Amino acid sequence: MKDKMTIILFSGEMDKAIAAFTLATTAAASGMEVAIFFTFWGLNILKKSKFSITRSQNMLQKMFNFMSTSSLPITKLNMLGLGPWMMKKLMKKSKMASLEELMSLAKELKVKYIACTTSCGVLGLAKENLIDEVDEFAGASTYLNEAKDSKINLFI
Amino acid sequence: MKDKMTIILFSGEMDKAIAAFTLATTAAASGMEVAIFFTFWGLNILKKSKFSITRSQNMLQKMFNFMSTSSLPITKLNMLGLGPWMMKKLMKKSKMASLEELMSLAKELKVKYIACTTSCGVLGLAKENLIDEVDEFAGASTYLNEAKDSKINLFI
Amino acid sequence: MKDKMTIILFSGEMDKAIAAFTLATTAAASGMEVAIFFTFWGLNILKKSKFSITRSQNMLQKMFNFMSTSSLPITKLNMLGLGPWMMKKLMKKSKMASLEELMSLAKELKVKYIACTTSCGVLGLAKENLIDEVDEFAGASTYLNEAKDSKINLFI
């Protein structure tokens, strides 16, 4: 049986997402079985890039989504608006993989994406609002079952 | 013997607290033994709602508590002040349990609350400033003993 | 064989660094083998205090370092600039160990410091920019090997 790792990706910031996917892809490449459980702001990473506000959403969910979509911020330096721009530039210069590249690598390596159903409910997100690469929609008990058998469990 | 889970709740934000208590109650409901170790800002969640500043606190502790009490913020959207209000509304609409409901469920399910003595010391918090549901006041070594035997350990 | 613990220190905030080093030193003092993997903002903690901008850094890296050096902020209260100052005062009053004291204790107790090579590359940090106490420069796979055999793994 393969060694397992789980990551709860709660944060929607680009720097934390990159850390999560770097760990996930490195683990999967070395033969581990990896599952990422996307919850709260982490779901932003799974949104289709041009997320069209759906009819079924109520006014509050529309506002919420409007405020939380678009490009991912990074934890620091946001005040100046320089953060994400600078980070992308630096990553390119040092030939570090971008989040997009890491995510496509993750899928090649069969990293499992689980979207938290409870958070989707709160945010008014339906299946069709998220990218097709999501493997499963499930709640905390599914996560706990995965995590119980895993050697490494992280909350990011 | 029961499977165990520990959570260090370092953050005082509402969204992270909800994530922590959702995991804790789901785990406890499925038969796991769960302990939450509240430290730093996480102690805000355990404060009695009308926390009266005590005589024994020094000036700095008074200022610190004044600045960190009252309602829990959420990680994002605070700039506009809309965050916590919007989130509560959305949670109500989608029938998601509130933090208060999750906390009372956690106690029914015997989730253990451990308050970090070192952090209490720094913040000038005494036993009587925290809710009665706290099971134990202890330090990092108590946490480590719990965590060593646990299948899932998270820092939130 | 000793019980092991790993910590990924991603955050550069003083409060989170203190939490990480309190756990690390308590674990090491009780006989555990502890490794801290410093990545992204966590690398700030390992910078030499008077970090001189090196020639080999490009313009972007210079800006980035200029913005992220100097004293560590704390998660909250930064708007008013009171955070770090107040926290240091409070810690002193309550005789809590400072980050500097915790870090020198960590080295006495042989806590292993691993600096993430990928992050160093992005930030333009070379060996000579970090304190001599760093034991190893390595990537995610080294971390995963350590974490797989550890009883406690935290992401801070």
Side-chain angles (χ1 to χ4, degrees), chain B:
Chain B
M1 241 180 67
K2 283 183 172 188
D3 283 339
K4 290 172 71 176
M5 174 165 85
T6 70
I7 292 172
I8 296 181
L9 190 42
F10 173 94
S11 305
E13 285 108 346
M14 194 175 67
D15 45 358
K16 290 199 172 167
I18 286 169
F21 277 94
T22 302
L23 288 165
T25 52
T26 310
S30 76
M32 291 182 82
E33 203 181 307
V34 183
I36 308 180
F37 187 75
F38 296 82
T39 184
F40 278 82
W41 316 104
L43 285 167
N44 283 340
I45 294 156
L46 298 181
K47 277 184 191 163
K48 284 185 182 151
S49 46
K50 288 192 189 174
F51 178 57
S52 54
I53 287 155
T54 57
R55 269 219 206 170
S56 64
Q57 289 187 307
N58 59 47
M59 193 55 205
L60 275 165
Q61 288 170 334
K62 278 178 199 165
M63 281 175 65
F64 197 88
N65 272 299
F66 174 74
M67 291 168 77
S68 65
T69 29
S70 77
S71 56
L72 303 176
I74 64 165
T75 310
K76 299 217 182 184
L77 313 181
N78 268 331
M79 292 302 126
L80 299 169
L82 276 167
W85 170 83
M86 201 184 282
M87 199 158 164
K88 275 186 188 167
K89 284 271 182 193
L90 282 176
M91 285 168 64
K92 218 170 177 180
K93 284 235 172 198
S94 60
K95 284 168 197 130
M96 192 184 166
S98 71
L99 184 56
E100 289 73 25
E101 289 164 337
L102 286 168
M103 286 183 79
S104 94
L105 182 58
K107 275 293 125 185
E108 276 175 49
L109 294 166
K110 307 213 188 312
V111 171
K112 203 202 270 183
Y113 292 0
I114 307 174
C116 170
T117 38
T118 315
S119 303
C120 284
V122 175
L123 301 177
L125 292 170
K127 272 191 190 193
E128 58 267 26
N129 302 132
L130 301 186
I131 56 173
D132 299 331
E133 283 82 357
V134 175
D135 296 287
E136 202 179 333
F137 286 77
S141 59
T142 298
Y143 161 74
L144 291 166
N145 279 334
E146 297 268 355
K148 261 194 281 193
D149 302 328
S150 293
K151 295 225 166 176
I152 308 175
N153 296 307
L154 303 172
F155 183 99
I156 299 185

Side-chain angles (χ1 to χ4, degrees), chain A:
Chain A
M1 240 181 68
K2 284 183 171 190
D3 284 339
K4 289 171 74 176
M5 174 165 87
T6 71
I7 292 172
I8 295 181
L9 190 44
F10 172 95
S11 304
E13 284 109 349
M14 193 176 67
D15 45 358
K16 290 200 172 166
I18 286 169
F21 278 93
T22 302
L23 289 164
T25 50
T26 311
S30 76
M32 292 182 81
E33 203 181 306
V34 183
I36 308 181
F37 187 76
F38 296 83
T39 184
F40 279 81
W41 317 104
L43 285 167
N44 283 339
I45 294 156
L46 298 181
K47 277 185 193 162
K48 284 186 183 152
S49 47
K50 287 192 190 171
F51 178 58
S52 53
I53 287 157
T54 57
R55 267 218 206 168
S56 63
Q57 290 188 306
N58 60 46
M59 192 56 205
L60 274 165
Q61 288 171 333
K62 278 178 199 166
M63 281 175 67
F64 198 88
N65 272 301
F66 174 74
M67 291 167 78
S68 64
T69 28
S70 74
S71 56
L72 304 176
I74 65 166
T75 311
K76 299 215 181 187
L77 311 180
N78 268 331
M79 292 302 128
L80 299 170
L82 276 169
W85 172 82
M86 201 185 283
M87 199 159 166
K88 276 187 188 168
K89 284 270 182 195
L90 283 176
M91 286 168 64
K92 218 168 175 179
K93 283 233 174 201
S94 59
K95 286 171 196 126
M96 191 183 168
S98 70
L99 183 55
E100 289 72 25
E101 288 164 337
L102 286 168
M103 287 184 78
S104 94
L105 182 58
K107 275 294 126 184
E108 274 175 50
L109 295 165
K110 307 215 188 310
V111 171
K112 203 202 268 183
Y113 293 1
I114 307 173
C116 170
T117 39
T118 315
S119 303
C120 284
V122 174
L123 302 177
L125 292 170
K127 271 192 193 192
E128 58 269 24
N129 302 132
L130 302 186
I131 56 173
D132 300 330
E133 283 82 357
V134 175
D135 295 288
E136 201 179 333
F137 287 77
S141 60
T142 298
Y143 161 74
L144 292 165
N145 279 335
E146 297 268 356
K148 260 194 281 193
D149 301 328
S150 293
K151 297 225 164 174
I152 309 175
N153 296 307
L154 302 172
F155 183 99
I156 299 186

